Amino acid sequence: MRLEGSTLSRILIYSILLLLVALWLFPLAAILSTIIKTPAQFDSLFFWSLPEVLSIPVNAFENFLAAWTQAGLGSNFINSLIYAIAGGAGSAFLASLAGFALVHLKVKNPQSWFMGIFSGNLFPFQMFLIPLYIATSRMGLYDTRLGMALVYIGICTPFALLVYRNYALTIPQELIEAARIDGCSDLEIYWKIFMPLTKAAFVVVFIFQFRWTWNDILFGMVLTQDVRPVMTALSKLSGLRAGVPTPVIAAGAVVASIPTVIILLGLQSYFVKGLSLQTGE
């Protein structure tokens, strides 16, 4: 960002930026200060006090290990990974099919179809809980990984379609017609032309829906018992599992945040392209 103006204005701007950085880093510093202590040290020491330097790695490792094993987050972590990948990739794939069809195929009343699908995002998700609970129970999908994956795909698809439809509108219809003249079928056009040109859209949808699914507590709490996602299990640690130390819970929170950070850092180039409505590489 280019700063212009008097020295006073620059000092003011930098001060505001530093304040924002400090506010953003404060929770991270607090959680790190918690993780590097043993439960006994956390109870006895001042919150910002540091233990012996040589004990910090050992304390952190023990807290992470306890969160993964003793607190039982390991299996929940795997569950969330399955749900988030299914919700992100599944909704992006369905949205790509629907976006291609509504924009580039001769579908009657495409706007009505779009509004009918997107209307799923216009209502609070709480109103879907009872119908989904009844449906999954009657179909034998309650408290199953398959049932949760299907629920997340269905919940994520309306927003994914909004993003993908906007990308589909940026692809010239002349390009699609030229491919048809060359003898390509609709499926070949979708796979060989549409999908490569909307790669950035797929990544944007995947990242957004992966993050939302990973952080969900509501559906995981109502629709599961034994295959809970990690955020639901993490929120239950202090209540259902009395005696879990605060440093272990903090370590679990850090573990639970790792996948979303890795996904965003690994796909950030496509994510930036997607947000700027650019297609291709």
Side-chain angles (χ1 to χ4, degrees):
M1 182 175 63
R2 185 180 178 184
L3 300 176
E4 297 179 352
S6 65
T7 303
L8 182 60
S9 64
R10 292 188 180 187
I11 293 175
L12 179 61
I13 291 174
Y14 280 123
S15 299
I16 294 174
L17 292 177
L18 288 174
L19 177 61
L20 293 175
V21 170
L23 291 174
W24 186 81
L25 291 178
F26 179 80
L28 296 179
I31 199 169
L32 290 177
S33 175
T34 303
I35 291 173
I36 61 177
K37 299 182 179 73
T38 64
Q41 290 172 341
F42 179 80
D43 293 334
S44 61
L45 295 177
F46 176 67
F47 182 80
W48 294 109
S49 298
L50 298 178
E52 294 182 5
V53 176
L54 295 179
S55 67
I56 288 178
V58 177
N59 295 343
F61 176 78
E62 290 179 349
N63 288 328
F64 281 118
L65 184 62
W68 186 263
T69 56
Q70 298 175 20
L73 292 183
S75 60
N76 303 118
F77 187 93
I78 300 301
N79 292 337
S80 279
L81 200 60
I82 294 173
Y83 304 151
I85 292 175
S91 63
F93 176 67
L94 291 179
S96 69
L97 290 172
F100 174 73
L102 293 178
V103 175
H104 295 295
L105 298 183
K106 296 179 180 179
V107 177
K108 292 184 179 180
N109 301 318
Q111 188 66 19
S112 299
W113 281 103
F114 168 72
M115 290 304 301
I117 298 173
F118 183 70
S119 62
N121 267 4
L122 302 180
F123 303 99
F125 288 150
Q126 289 84 346
M127 68 179 295
F128 300 141
L129 288 175
I130 295 178
L132 284 174
Y133 175 81
I134 295 174
T136 54
S137 298
R138 291 182 177 179
M139 292 188 295
L141 295 175
Y142 175 78
D143 196 28
T144 64
R145 288 174 173 173
L146 176 60
M148 287 299 295
L150 293 176
V151 166
Y152 283 124
I153 290 174
I155 292 295
C156 292
T157 297
F159 175 78
L161 177 59
L162 173 66
V163 176
Y164 236 108
R165 177 178 173 272
N166 291 339
Y167 276 86
L169 290 171
T170 65
I171 299 177
Q173 187 65 28
E174 292 79 8
L175 181 61
I176 305 299
E177 295 300 331
R180 288 198 178 99
I181 293 174
D182 289 339
C184 293
S185 65
D186 290 338
L187 183 59
E188 288 175 328
I189 295 173
Y190 165 80
W191 188 251
K192 296 181 179 180
I193 298 177
F194 182 80
M195 284 300 288
L197 291 177
T198 58
K199 186 187 302 182
F202 191 97
V203 173
V204 167
V205 169
F206 176 79
I207 291 176
F208 271 112
Q209 305 304 57
F210 182 98
R211 182 194 59 81
W212 183 87
T213 303
W214 186 271
N215 292 329
D216 173 65
I217 294 178
L218 182 64
F219 291 100
M221 188 173 296
V222 174
L223 300 179
T224 61
Q225 292 290 336
D226 298 324
V227 291
R228 291 188 182 277
V230 68
M231 291 301 177
T232 301
L234 188 63
S235 69
K236 291 287 186 179
L237 280 183
S238 58
L240 296 182
R241 311 196 72 160
V244 177
T246 301
V248 175
I249 298 176
V254 172
V255 170
S257 67
I258 290 175
T260 52
V261 174
I262 292 176
I263 289 293
L264 184 57
L265 292 179
L267 300 175
Q268 62 179 332
S269 60
Y270 289 111
F271 185 67
V272 173
K273 291 180 182 179
L275 292 181
S276 58
L277 295 179
Q278 297 178 8
T279 58
E281 297 185 352

